[in-house]
């Protein structure tokens, strides 16, 4: 994947999901907290994988 801005955007959307999970945890409607937290962690982990693949492709192209 060559578009690194998309990877960073997905990372920050995962962080936004985690912030939303924290906001729901402090309110009465804390049943949604695990949903938003799991979505946030999934998005962040996927963006880390895409970023590492992007960096490894750049290193292979330089050699």
């Amino acid at each position: 994947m060559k578009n690194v801005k998309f990877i960073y955007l997905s990372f920050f959307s995962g962080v936004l999901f985690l912030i939303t999970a924290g906001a729901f945890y402090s309110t009465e409607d804390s049943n949604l907290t695990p949903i938003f937290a799991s979505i946030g962690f999934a998005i962040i982990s996927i963006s880390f994988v895409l970023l590492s693949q992007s960096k490894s492709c750049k290193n292979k192209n330089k050699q």
Side-chain angles (χ1 to χ4, degrees):
M1 200 169 192
K2 293 184 179 182
N3 197 357
V4 180
K5 290 181 183 179
F6 174 74
I7 297 172
Y8 288 128
L9 182 68
S10 66
F11 175 77
F12 288 124
S13 67
V15 170
L16 183 67
F17 270 102
L18 288 179
I19 291 171
T20 307
F24 276 129
Y25 182 72
S26 63
T27 62
E28 294 178 4
D29 195 16
S30 63
N31 294 333
L32 294 174
T33 301
I35 296 168
F36 280 104
S38 62
I39 291 172
F41 281 124
I43 291 173
I44 288 172
S45 63
I46 289 170
S47 64
F48 277 142
V49 168
L50 290 176
L51 188 64
S52 66
Q53 286 182 352
S54 173
K55 287 186 178 182
S56 69
C57 287
K58 284 182 183 178
N59 290 338
K60 287 181 182 178
N61 288 339
K62 287 183 181 179
Q63 293 177 351

